Amino acid sequence: MDAASELGPLRVAVSCAGVATPGRMLSRSGPLNLDAFARVVQVNLVGTFTVLRLAARRIAESWPVDGECGVLVATSSVAAYDAAGSARPPTPRPRAGGRPHPPRRPGTRPACRSAIR
């Protein structure tokens, strides 16, 4: 965020976190390694939240242009919709990809609005 802010006010932040652990919760060789699953949650869920929260602070500090401060975007892959039988976490990518979900309450600051699509 510091490097981006040196170029001017931060107006857009895009989070494209997306790692997956190949494998099923329970395979013929046994249960999936918990550390591997925890890494997926750390990168996808915590990483996305970290980018959004730090960028939101910088964007909120910017002077509005045409009534807008900036936008936060979280992306997802088709893997968010195809997790049957796999060990993909149920919340990080499907939440970002499943439907728009603003990370804050609408109306808390009229000049700044967020949209995740």
Side-chain angles (χ1 to χ4, degrees), residues 47-69:
T48 297
F49 179 75
T50 299
V51 167
L52 294 178
R53 73 183 183 87
L54 295 176
R57 185 176 114 211
R58 294 290 174 103
I59 290 171
E61 293 169 351
S62 302
W63 189 258
V65 174
D66 294 329
E68 301 288 339
C69 290

Side-chain angles (χ1 to χ4, degrees), residues 22-86:
R24 296 182 174 270
M25 282 190 277
L26 181 61
S27 68
R28 290 184 179 122
S29 61
L32 183 71
N33 179 294
L34 185 57
D35 291 334
F37 180 76
R39 178 179 175 272
V40 172
V41 172
Q42 182 68 29
V43 171
N44 294 349
L45 180 61
V46 177
T48 297
F49 179 75
T50 299
V51 167
L52 294 178
R53 73 183 183 87
L54 295 176
R57 185 176 114 211
R58 294 290 174 103
I59 290 171
E61 293 169 351
S62 302
W63 189 258
V65 174
D66 294 329
E68 301 288 339
C69 290
V71 65
L72 302 173
V73 179
T75 64
S76 183
S77 71
V78 71
Y81 303 100
D82 185 29
S86 73

